[in-house]
Structure formats: C-alpha cells, structure tokens
Amino acid sequence: MTRTLHGRLRRGQTIIEPIVALALLAIGALGSAALLAHALHRLARVAQLAHTRDAALAATMRAAAQPCGATDRGVQALAIVWTDSLSGQVTARAAGAPCAQ
C-alpha cells in the first residue's frame, strides 16, 4: 500500500518545473532582445560610416572636376564614377584633369 500511495503522490508536474521553464524562457528572451539591439546598432553605424565615406568621395570628385586656373598646370586625366551606397544611384561622374599647384 505504501508503494501505490507513494506512486500517486509523485504523479504529475510540480510547481518547480513551470517556474524553471519560465525562467529559462525569460533568460532566452532577454538574450535575444540584447542581440537584436546590438545588431541594429551595428547596422546603423555601418550605414552612417558608408554615408560619410560617400560624402567625402563626392567632395573629392567635385574638387577634382573643377577647371584648372590660368596659372595652374594640369596633370594626368581623372575619371571617377561614384555610386551612393544609400540610394544605389550614380550621383556624380567626374572626368577632367586635376590641377597641380
């Protein structure tokens, strides 16, 4: 009789099992949220750096496309095709001779 009584008391789940499962789920959800936030931050930073690089390249190309002054002498030919990383469109095409001082 003791065995059957003992077996009946041991059937089913205890309250500890759902608590442990919920704790593991919460830890996993917090880890996933932290990973997603970090990934979004990195993507935004990469986009910002690409935009800064593109702006610097555009400024360089605008400066290179300026005509030479009367007192300057031209040097090798320069042709640059620049594609904006944000829009994917060609935004400037410079061909000319940069001036040497």
Side-chain angles (χ1 to χ4, degrees), residues 9-101:
L9 293 176
R10 301 282 293 177
R11 283 189 198 156
Q13 293 181 339
T14 64
I15 192 72
I16 300 298
E17 290 169 346
I19 290 174
V20 169
L22 287 174
L24 290 175
L25 180 66
I27 290 170
L30 287 173
S32 296
L35 181 65
L36 181 63
H38 180 70
L40 290 176
H41 177 71
R42 293 288 301 236
L43 284 173
R45 179 69 178 141
V46 166
Q48 180 185 21
L49 289 174
H51 181 68
T52 303
R53 180 200 63 218
D54 291 345
L57 183 59
T60 302
M61 288 188 330
R62 280 193 297 274
Q66 296 298 321
C68 294
T71 59
D72 296 334
R73 41 193 179 108
V75 291
Q76 77 262 4
L78 176 68
I80 299 175
V81 176
W82 170 61
T83 304
D84 188 356
S85 64
L86 190 60
S87 65
Q89 297 177 351
V90 175
T91 55
R93 183 170 285 168
C99 299
Q101 297 295 336

